[in-house]
Amino acid sequence: MIKRITAILVGLGILLLAVFLVYAWEASIPEQDPPSPGNFSQAMLEQGEALAGIGNCQSCHTVDPEQPLAGGRAFPTEFGTLYSTNITPDTATGIGTWSREAFHRAMREGISRNGAHLFPAFPYTHYTKVSDEDLDALYAYLMTREPVNAEPPGNDLRFPFNIRLLQAGWKLLFFEEGRYQPEDSRSELWNRGAYLAEGLGHCSACHTPRNDFGAEQTDLAYEGAVINNWYAPALNTSSLAPVAWTEASLYDYLRSGGSTYHGVAVGSMADVVHRGLGRAQDRDIRALASYFSAMAEPGSEEQAAQTATATIQAAQQRSAETLGYGEKVFTYACASCHYNDPENPSTLRPDLSLNTALRADNPMNLIRVTLEGVDNEEGLPGVVMPGFAELSNADISALLHFLRATHTDRPAWNNLEDEIERQRQEVATQTESAQ
């Protein structure tokens, strides 16, 4: 009896494996010669460039600015390190031999031209929502870039996560293919914003926590998450921003990189704003602002101004009643730029009481900006902030504890000096890698 049961179980296992292999197998799509640039209209190329910006393709697929889109950027994960691919039209190392059909399949189903399953670090889970017209424009744009012969490093994933065929099982659990469907109850502008954010923009890929299998936790969409050693804050009603994001403030932030009531874009978000959305048409920026402002349920511009004034006044009052080492560090390093008139806060030199990073549960963003500063490629054009890495961990800890206690109503951070040291080491490692 035991032998019979064992044989049945083995047989079922073999049958299930065979069924899975049939399900997981994908055919290769034949190579073709690169399409002639003359096949595409100028309007299509301009549309493709704007869409590539919204998708932030260049940031993820570029390491050397002299070789845009040639791949090689490392993406550390809990399963190992992935490297972005070469998406220039080079025929040997890029996608120059990919047909329109192969490109559409990769974008919508996560399957390479040769039939291999792509890892979901490439956000095909979002790109599946994109229309034929927009994918055609993006294909035209990529196929008319300068070919770059560059072979990115091979992925370094632990077994069994390095088996691409298993991605078919991941898709079965976590992937739903299909185009974006407009919501009739919403405005045309909101629907355009939703289409861009949930499709090419793949915004939730950074702002949503992931489960143990690396899939977005859809029930926690836009609740905030740590990615690339930055904290992408909540964008919904869980946002800790002291002043609600209005449609106007979101537009300013996404268009220019800064908002009077919310500070400036740094780190990964600076790439999104300046290297990506900088190419987008103004109407699309307004559409994204419409979509995300509705998600955060904002008040009026008048309410935002009143809240900002009250927040700054309260911070200044608490600061006046505090005397300690952290205040001295603030006076020495920060006050000349970050002390605002409550009735007229500055966009160029934001008041820290309005900064979401200071109110976050995780201090990593504030620590990184304090250590690294804000360079000319981040934030607002022409406005820079020096880094203060020369300060000791104790100095920075005292400063941040002072700001947290006086500029917010949030509880103190724990183990702050340890986190500052960890971030200091992370910054040093990233600097070495970049060199």
Side-chain angles (χ1 to χ4, degrees):
M1 179 65 71
I2 293 175
K3 289 182 179 179
R4 185 177 300 174
I5 292 173
T6 301
I8 292 172
L9 291 176
V10 170
L12 284 174
I14 293 172
L15 179 61
L16 288 174
L17 178 61
V19 170
F20 176 76
L21 291 175
V22 171
Y23 164 77
W25 183 83
E26 296 288 347
S28 173
I29 294 177
E31 295 183 343
Q32 68 168 37
D33 293 331
S36 168
N39 291 352
F40 310 116
S41 68
Q42 185 60 34
M44 178 180 277
L45 295 178
E46 290 175 358
Q47 179 187 358
E49 180 178 17
L51 293 169
I54 291 169
N56 205 26
C57 304
Q58 183 156 317
S59 290
C60 287
H61 289 273
T62 301
V63 173
D64 181 357
E66 299 298 318
Q67 296 185 324
L69 303 175
R73 180 172 177 179
F75 290 88
T77 74
E78 294 179 3
F79 316 106
T81 302
L82 292 160
Y83 292 88
S84 61
T85 54
N86 183 337
I87 57 171
T88 73
D90 181 67
T91 56
T93 61
I95 60 171
T97 61
W98 286 38
S99 65
R100 172 187 180 274
E101 178 190 0
F103 182 75
H104 277 235
R105 185 175 73 167
M107 294 289 285
R108 285 181 168 164
E109 300 177 40
I111 300 168
S112 184
R113 184 202 61 76
N114 64 4
H117 289 273
L118 300 175
F119 295 104
F122 174 69
Y124 62 85
T125 51
H126 290 270
Y127 297 159
T128 189
K129 296 178 172 66
V130 181
S131 69
D132 285 350
E133 179 186 359
D134 282 347
L135 285 185
D136 286 344
L138 187 59
Y139 176 73
Y141 174 73
L142 292 175
M143 286 299 180
T144 52
R145 298 310 91 201
E146 186 69 28
V148 179
N149 186 276
E151 189 71 56
N155 296 324
D156 183 17
L157 297 173
R158 300 192 310 277
F159 179 83
F161 306 110
N162 58 345
I163 301 175
R164 286 188 180 271
L165 203 64
L166 294 181
Q167 294 304 308
W170 188 95
K171 291 175 182 177
L172 192 62
L173 294 172
F174 303 115
F175 175 49
E176 182 177 351
E177 185 187 356
R179 264 32 89 215
Y180 174 77
Q181 299 299 317
E183 292 190 22
D184 295 337
S185 62
R186 296 287 192 171
S187 69
E188 181 180 347
L189 188 67
W190 184 94
N191 270 295
R192 176 66 179 173
Y195 166 74
L196 294 173
E198 304 304 333
L200 276 174
H202 60 283
C203 302
S204 67
C206 288
H207 289 272
T208 296
R210 294 177 181 267
N211 63 22
D212 292 339
F213 298 96
E216 291 179 38
Q217 295 179 261
T218 54
D219 57 328
L220 298 175
Y222 294 106
E223 287 283 337
V226 174
I227 185 164
N228 297 333
N229 204 39
W230 288 96
Y231 179 68
L235 300 182
N236 54 20
T237 53
S238 296
S239 171
L240 293 173
V243 179
W245 283 95
T246 64
E247 190 168 332
S249 61
L250 273 162
Y251 169 80
D252 289 343
Y253 184 85
L254 296 174
R255 183 81 286 177
S256 68
S259 162
T260 301
Y261 303 144
H262 300 279
V264 298
V266 294
S268 302
M269 194 62 201
D271 276 349
V272 171
V273 170
H274 298 301
R275 298 179 68 180
L277 296 180
R279 303 178 183 184
Q281 297 179 22
D282 205 55
R283 69 180 181 88
D284 286 340
I285 301 297
R286 294 194 183 280
L288 288 168
S290 173
Y291 177 63
F292 284 113
S293 64
M295 185 183 297
E297 298 180 5
S300 66
E301 291 298 319
E302 182 181 358
Q303 289 173 321
Q306 291 171 351
T307 302
T309 296
T311 301
I312 295 173
Q313 287 175 337
Q316 291 179 355
Q317 180 63 36
R318 287 192 295 263
S319 298
E321 297 170 354
T322 302
L323 184 62
Y325 185 62
E327 183 189 26
K328 292 179 181 178
V329 178
F330 176 77
T331 302
Y332 156 73
C334 316
S336 61
C337 289
H338 289 288
Y339 191 87
N340 276 220
D341 173 4
E343 299 291 339
N344 188 29
S346 170
T347 303
L348 301 181
R349 297 180 174 184
D351 192 284
L352 295 177
S353 64
L354 304 180
N355 196 297
T356 304
L358 187 57
R359 300 176 63 85
D361 294 330
N362 190 322
M364 63 169 49
N365 289 6
L366 194 63
I367 293 171
R368 289 197 63 173
V369 171
T370 303
L371 291 171
E372 300 177 73
V374 180
D375 64 27
N376 199 42
E377 295 182 357
E378 299 179 312
L380 292 162
V383 180
V384 299
M385 168 187 156
F388 292 94
E390 74 278 3
L391 294 177
S392 70
N393 292 349
D395 290 338
I396 296 175
S397 177
L399 168 65
L400 301 192
H401 275 308
F402 163 75
L403 290 172
R404 180 81 161 179
T406 58
H407 286 57
T408 80
D409 55 1
R410 304 279 293 159
W413 285 307
N414 295 321
N415 305 316
L416 195 52
E417 281 198 49
D418 292 341
E419 181 62 17
I420 292 167
E421 179 58 29
R422 190 182 77 81
Q423 291 298 331
R424 199 184 285 274
Q425 296 302 321
E426 287 281 351
V427 170
T429 301
Q430 289 176 0
T431 302
E432 271 182 36
S433 299
Q435 294 172 346

